Amino acid sequence: FTTQSLLLLEKQSGQTLEMTADDCVWQTKTENGWRKVQPELLLQGAASLEVQEVHKVTADPLNLESAMVLQIPEEFPGSGVSGVRKVARLLTHCSPKKYLNFKVKMFETEDLDFVGGELGSAPRKSHLSLFSAKLNSMVMQTDT
């Protein structure tokens, strides 16, 4: 099997980002529909997503690369100084009309609470497989 799409959802704000292997373009959902994402800072509830690269041509001209970093606000106790802390980096490599690959890099293990996910297959006839990971636990579910 191959990965055909990624859907990112920030639960507090409901902000949604999506990439499909059809066109390998990150899009964000707005009030007026979907729009292409550019290198920018997207605010998502308490977190922000820094889109660093989009649709960069790699050494393989049939492969496009995108990178984004999830950040959360942080205050430094006693100093009165606040800033942002990098939580995770998402790197995608995508071949249009074929498949996409992705890698999530966590910067600190204590930040695993901020990230979770599911991998699933599109329903075919009466079978759906789902892999879910959250808070250091992994569960495999199969619907037959």
Side-chain angles (χ1 to χ4, degrees), residues 2-74:
T2 60
T3 302
Q4 295 297 303
S5 64
L6 285 176
L7 179 68
L8 304 179
L9 173 64
E10 202 285 318
K11 290 185 178 183
Q12 287 182 343
S13 69
Q15 173 118 19
T16 305
L17 285 103
E18 177 187 63
M19 176 189 277
T20 68
D22 288 338
D23 57 7
C24 297
V25 173
W26 276 110
Q27 298 187 71
T28 185
K29 193 170 187 178
T30 67
E31 294 174 355
N32 302 323
W34 292 88
R35 74 165 176 83
K36 289 182 182 179
V37 173
Q38 301 300 319
E40 60 186 294
L41 184 65
L42 299 171
L43 301 176
Q44 302 181 347
S48 63
L49 193 62
E50 179 188 1
V51 181
Q52 297 175 331
E53 298 175 341
V54 289
H55 326 120
K56 175 182 160 189
V57 177
T58 64
D60 177 355
L62 301 177
N63 199 3
L64 302 174
E65 180 178 284
S66 295
M68 50 184 77
V69 175
L70 174 66
Q71 305 171 129
I72 59 169
E74 179 176 58

Side-chain angles (χ1 to χ4, degrees), residues 109 112-113 133-138:
T109 55
L112 287 173
D113 289 351
K134 181 68 178 159
L135 302 173
N136 297 330
S137 64
M138 297 182 199

